[in-house]
Amino acid sequence: MGKNNLIGEIPYEIGILSYLVALQLNGNMLQGNLPSGLQNCSRLHILDVGDNLLVGKIPLWLSHFFELMILVLRSNKLQGQIPNPLSNLSKLHVLDISHNNLTGPIPSDLGNLAIMLDPHPQVRSANASEHSYYYKEEIQVINKGSELTYYDSILLLITCIDLFENQLYDGIPLEIGNLQGLHTLNLSRNNLIGDIPITFGMLEQLESLDLSNNKLHGNIPNEMLKLSSMSTFIVYNNMLCGTIPTGGQFATFNLTFFSNNPSLCGFPLDNKTCKCGEKSNIDMAHLLDEEIEEESEIPWHWYVEWMASFATGFWGVFGILIVKRYWRRKYIQLLDEVAISFLDRLRGIK
């Protein structure tokens, strides 16, 4: 039922189809939440509801779909965090929850997705022949920077995690490096910070890695030179620094893959400033302007101290004159004497 003009909500009663193996509702205009009745369809191998208008959180009951191999929730309006229990999906080949409004950190438990721990594709190939009669439709997956379409049992030869364009933050978990059978990883257009994990050097089957449009810093790990299958490595629009690793697949990468990292240098870039910890001239000028602006401003507590001192001095003198009549007379007499003395001096000058 994908790519029709279906509107409204997915009916709760769909859960009656408890023997359903594949449900593809992608490319419609469906709204509302994933119905809780769907959790009765625990035999699902494919669930694709991408490119709709679905809202709410990713339901926890999805983690009970132990036969699930393809989960596509992309291009909806889902919110909340990525549930940790999704790591229980031991047969999951494709996890695509890109282009939503998901927040929070990337769960470290995603590094436990069992089928992606296996670095030997021939094992998955055997599974593909066993279940090939289920997969007669197509699934779109973002791979190597482009949307590719996979058909039939070829799907079971692909492993993919796509978290593109959400609002995820914090660092990339080191545990993602455990997924030695992972082919495609897309974490671009989020708010991720920190270093590229050194454990990425263990992703020996990785073909495509997109970390662009984040706030990553630090060096590109030299351990990634081991990734002989990686044909796409996109990190533009970050704050990476240091020298790009030399040799291996890095010798084949495009200039645009590394652009807009002011402190990153080495082939194929021409940047001169590349030492980590150094600020670019623009950054230094900006910091200097901020320091001058801060120094030119009078601290707020200075006003409080000045007013307190003034009030103490004023009432310390005039408070006594108001209360003590004797001192008040003496003060007026002193003022008179000063005034007369001043006038006498003026007459003497004349």
Side-chain angles (χ1 to χ4, degrees):
M1 293 184 286
K3 297 182 179 179
N4 285 286
N5 295 314
L6 300 178
I7 60 174
E9 298 185 357
I10 302 173
Y12 176 88
E13 291 77 9
I14 200 169
I16 296 174
L17 307 175
S18 58
Y19 284 87
L20 191 65
V21 173
L23 176 61
Q24 292 180 259
L25 296 170
N26 57 296
N28 287 292
M29 294 177 285
L30 298 171
Q31 300 176 330
N33 299 286
L34 282 173
S36 58
L38 189 60
Q39 62 186 305
N40 295 324
C41 302
S42 58
R43 292 177 173 83
L44 276 175
H45 287 202
I46 291 182
L47 175 60
D48 185 356
V49 292
D51 298 289
N52 279 288
L53 302 171
L54 300 176
V55 297
K57 298 181 178 181
I58 298 175
L60 290 175
W61 44 259
L62 280 178
S63 62
H64 300 144
F65 287 17
F66 299 117
E67 299 298 320
L68 195 63
M69 298 179 182
I70 312 292
L71 176 59
V72 180
L73 306 176
R74 72 173 179 184
S75 296
N76 281 287
K77 298 181 179 180
L78 300 175
Q79 298 177 330
Q81 298 189 9
I82 302 173
N84 283 314
L86 285 184
S87 61
N88 296 334
L89 302 176
S90 60
K91 298 184 179 180
L92 195 65
H93 288 257
V94 174
L95 173 61
D96 187 349
I97 48 180
S98 61
H99 200 237
N100 280 285
N101 297 315
L102 301 174
T103 60
I106 299 173
S108 59
D109 288 349
L110 288 185
N112 297 324
L113 288 168
I115 203 69
M116 300 185 191
L117 295 172
D118 176 16
H120 305 295
Q122 65 270 18
V123 176
R124 287 191 297 273
S125 180
N127 290 338
S129 61
E130 179 183 349
H131 300 287
S132 60
Y133 61 95
Y134 289 137
Y135 305 103
K136 302 301 181 184
E137 295 297 332
E138 63 185 44
I139 294 289
Q140 285 76 35
V141 175
I142 302 296
N143 190 2
K144 302 180 182 179
S146 302
E147 183 177 85
L148 303 181
T149 301
Y150 295 95
Y151 298 89
D152 300 340
S153 60
I154 298 299
L155 280 169
L156 297 186
L157 301 177
I158 298 298
T159 53
C160 169
I161 295 178
D162 193 344
L163 309 182
F164 162 79
E165 199 166 2
N166 281 284
Q167 301 174 36
L168 304 173
Y169 53 78
D170 281 353
I172 302 173
L174 293 172
E175 290 79 2
I176 299 298
N178 296 332
L179 304 177
Q180 297 182 43
L182 183 63
H183 290 103
T184 299
L185 178 61
N186 190 346
L187 305 179
S188 62
R189 291 190 179 276
N190 282 286
N191 296 308
L192 301 175
I193 60 173
D195 299 333
I196 299 175
I198 194 173
T199 55
F200 275 16
M202 299 189 299
L203 299 174
E204 58 183 74
Q205 297 295 327
L206 193 65
E207 299 176 5
S208 176
L209 175 60
D210 192 345
L211 304 175
S212 61
N213 292 291
N214 281 290
K215 300 174 183 177
L216 300 173
H217 55 75
N219 293 284
I220 298 174
N222 285 317
E223 285 76 8
M224 296 184 69
L225 288 169
K226 304 173 185 176
L227 306 183
S228 57
S229 298
M230 188 169 62
S231 59
T232 303
F233 177 60
I234 306 175
V235 291
Y236 60 76
N237 290 341
N238 277 288
M239 296 180 288
L240 298 172
C241 60
T243 304
I244 297 171
T246 304
Q249 291 297 104
F250 284 86
T252 67
F253 293 150
N254 193 297
L255 170 68
T256 57
F257 289 0
F258 303 96
S259 61
N260 292 330
N261 287 281
S263 296
L264 191 65
C265 68
F267 179 84
L269 297 177
D270 296 324
N271 293 349
K272 303 299 181 183
T273 303
C274 63
K275 291 184 179 180
C276 291
E278 290 187 356
K279 297 287 185 180
S280 66
N281 292 334
I282 297 176
D283 293 336
M284 291 300 294
H286 179 67
L287 291 174
L288 184 59
D289 290 341
E290 287 183 348
E291 290 177 1
I292 293 174
E293 183 178 352
E294 289 177 358
E295 290 177 357
S296 63
E297 294 180 355
I298 299 176
W300 64 269
H301 60 81
W302 188 90
Y303 292 101
V304 177
E305 294 172 358
W306 183 85
M307 293 182 67
S309 300
F310 174 80
T312 302
F314 179 84
W315 289 108
V317 175
F318 290 95
I320 295 175
L321 296 179
I322 293 172
V323 176
K324 298 290 185 178
R325 184 176 181 182
Y326 173 78
W327 286 103
R328 187 165 63 249
R329 288 180 177 178
K330 286 290 186 180
Y331 179 70
I332 294 172
Q333 182 179 354
L334 177 62
L335 290 178
D336 289 340
E337 291 177 356
V338 170
I340 293 170
S341 175
F342 180 71
L343 291 174
D344 288 341
R345 289 184 181 182
L346 287 178
R347 295 190 187 99
I349 293 174
K350 293 178 180 180

